[in-house]
Each structure stands twice: as C-alpha cells, then as structure tokens.
Amino acid sequence: RKPVELRLLLHARRLSDGYLTVGRSVWETEEGTADLNDTSATRCEMLLSVNLIRDVPGFEGKCEITTVTHGVSPGIPVSIGKRIALAAASKYIRDIRQVFDK
C-alpha cells in the first residue's frame, strides 16, 4: 500500500481581522519538470485551497475558520476519497487546535 502524497505551495496574507491563505499543488522538480518515474506514492492534486481565518467579534481569543478545497486523486476511488476527505478535514482542525492548546 503506497502512501498518499501532496506537495503544496502556500501563500498567506494578514488581513485587518485575520488571515487568508491560498494553496496550490506543485509537482515540479528543481529543474521545473514533473518526476514521472517516481512511483513511491499515490499523488493527489490540490487544484485550489483557500482558508479564511477571522477573529470572532465579542469573543476574545476565538476565531472562525472557513476552508474551501478542490482536489483530485486519480489513484483513489471516489467512495474512498470522500471518506479520506472528511477524515483529513477533521484532522486539519484538530491539528490547528493542538498547536494553540500547548
């Protein structure tokens, strides 16, 4: 069973009331070409990922996270992909919470 791999280029910008991040998959090698011979992992492509993180007025230390992601996983069946996507979204929120719970 091969691991699922995702390489992401992420840009973040501070807003007046939070942060905005925009991400896109990148598959190029340092030479600017795709490494088609590397079959060590199942590749997933994130066509677009946008995260909006804003302060919640009236609740000090609380924030609202809005996430929109569109990805493609050609090596994974749709039924399994949906399950993986829900699990990944939950893990994403847990990971963020864990950083701030320390």
Side-chain angles (χ1 to χ4, degrees), residues 6-98:
L6 176 68
R7 296 180 188 172
L8 185 68
L9 177 65
L10 189 66
H11 172 77
R13 179 158 296 184
R14 186 178 185 110
L15 305 174
S16 61
D17 64 342
Y19 294 89
L20 178 71
T21 67
V22 178
R24 171 88 171 101
S25 289
V26 290
W27 290 108
E28 292 81 20
T29 62
E30 292 180 13
E31 292 78 35
T33 60
D35 187 2
L36 301 176
N37 297 323
D38 184 6
T39 59
S40 61
T42 299
R43 296 242 164 86
C44 295
E45 183 177 5
M46 187 174 295
L47 301 176
L48 179 65
S49 171
V50 178
N51 299 298
L52 178 60
I53 305 167
R54 298 183 299 183
D55 293 329
V56 177
F59 293 91
E60 185 67 31
K62 302 287 182 182
C63 70
E64 170 189 77
I65 301 174
T66 304
T67 300
V68 177
T69 303
H70 182 73
V72 176
S73 303
I76 299 174
V78 173
S79 60
I80 295 172
K82 287 181 180 181
R83 258 193 331 225
I84 291 171
L86 290 172
S90 297
K91 185 179 181 316
Y92 177 69
I93 298 300
R94 281 194 309 274
D95 289 347
I96 291 172
R97 285 181 176 165
Q98 187 177 27

